[in-house]
Amino acid sequence: MKLIIDRRTLIAASAAALITRPAFAAGSHDVAMLNKDPDDPKARMVFRPNIIVVQPGDTINFLATDRGHNCEIVDGMIPDGAEGWKGKINEEISVTLDQPGFYGFQCTPHVSQGMVGLIVVDGDGKMGNYEDAKGVRQRGQAKRAWEAIWETVEADGIAAA
């Protein structure tokens, strides 16, 4: 038996293969800006989650769940060459991160109350700014919040190459 495939059949089969192939789209992640944590009523002025691990190309949406908050990058807590951000009070902001590394973020009016968080973009070179980010000087409740974040990052193996 001889197999004969004409050009139209080959094109149709190729198109079908492309349509059924899974798409590898970048992910989207939400971070709520909250006056109090719904799981811990004693925790006030928080980002939830406050630690998030993403892949290059993923988008993080900072949601203005409660009023009076913004999100901005912490000086010194961003990989070299990466672009920072600064959102406005009461406005949502979305950032897409392509460069692996550690990105610290904070709420400008509530940083002194410990409203901070960390995004880790996984991939080659992730550890490039780890020590620099961890070494940024913090004060007050932000210092305690960062100590807890770094402890979690190390305990959960997030700070592994």
Side-chain angles (χ1 to χ4, degrees):
M1 184 166 131
K2 190 175 184 182
L3 182 62
I4 300 174
I5 300 176
D6 69 7
R7 186 171 182 238
R8 285 181 293 190
T9 304
L10 185 59
I11 291 171
S14 297
L18 288 174
I19 291 169
T20 59
R21 190 172 296 157
F24 294 100
S28 181
H29 311 272
D30 293 338
V31 175
M33 297 183 274
L34 301 166
N35 291 337
K36 62 183 177 178
D37 187 333
D39 298 326
D40 180 3
K42 293 180 183 179
R44 300 204 177 269
M45 305 305 164
V46 295
F47 289 101
R48 285 299 176 257
N50 68 338
I51 302 172
I52 185 168
V53 179
V54 302
Q55 297 302 309
D58 284 1
T59 298
I60 299 86
N61 307 300
F62 293 94
L63 307 177
T65 309
D66 292 330
R67 297 186 54 73
H69 305 290
N70 79 325
C71 180
E72 74 172 309
I73 197 76
V74 176
D75 288 338
M77 297 182 84
I78 186 170
D80 288 338
E83 214 175 297
W85 66 86
K86 182 174 183 174
K88 295 179 181 179
I89 302 293
N90 299 326
E91 289 188 2
E92 296 185 358
I93 183 172
S94 294
V95 295
T96 300
L97 303 175
D98 296 314
Q99 188 170 334
F102 292 79
Y103 296 75
F105 59 90
Q106 65 189 15
C107 172
T108 308
H110 301 113
V111 66
S112 65
Q113 294 175 285
M115 191 168 179
V116 298
L118 182 70
I119 301 166
V120 181
V121 180
D122 216 358
D124 290 338
K126 169 182 84 173
M127 298 302 291
N129 76 317
Y130 176 71
E131 291 299 330
D132 289 340
K134 192 174 173 185
V136 170
R137 189 167 181 227
Q138 307 291 340
R139 295 182 286 161
Q141 290 183 21
K143 181 178 181 178
R144 286 187 290 283
W146 279 112
E147 287 170 353
I149 288 171
W150 294 122
E151 184 178 303
T152 299
V153 164
E154 290 174 6
D156 290 354
I158 297 169

